[in-house]
Amino acid sequence: YKTVITHVLNLLRMKYTIQDELCDYSAYKDLLRSCRVAVFGHLRQQSIGNVWAMIRQGSKVFLYKNGINYQYLKQQNSLL
């Protein structure tokens, strides 16, 4: 999956970062702050803290509509 996404983003000449390694918390927060768009490709409840952080900082967040995070945030009227 990562290979396909990387190939497509390179074709589109888009700037991107794929987080696939652990890093210290401070560096991770800096990485999140540098993103204007985030794609969370999860159906299960994963990364809700990251999703909240991205929404709070005003980033555009993409979630699957049938994912638990999307359903929860929609219920809470947290999605615009």
Side-chain angles (χ1 to χ4, degrees), residues 52-63:
W52 274 115
M54 299 304 287
I55 290 171
R56 278 195 308 266
Q57 75 181 23
S59 297
K60 183 175 269 193
V61 176
F62 291 91
L63 303 167

Side-chain angles (χ1 to χ4, degrees), residues 1-14 16-18 20:
Y1 184 71
K2 180 177 113 175
T3 304
V4 172
I5 295 297
T6 301
H7 179 70
V8 170
L9 292 174
N10 286 335
L11 286 175
L12 297 173
R13 299 176 188 248
M14 297 183 75
Y16 64 92
T17 301
I18 295 176
D20 62 353

Side-chain angles (χ1 to χ4, degrees), residues 32-38 40 50-62 78 80:
L32 289 182
R33 277 194 286 273
S34 73
C35 298
R36 293 182 292 146
V37 177
F40 293 98
N50 294 326
V51 173
W52 274 115
M54 299 304 287
I55 290 171
R56 278 195 308 266
Q57 75 181 23
S59 297
K60 183 175 269 193
V61 176
F62 291 91
S78 298
L80 302 176

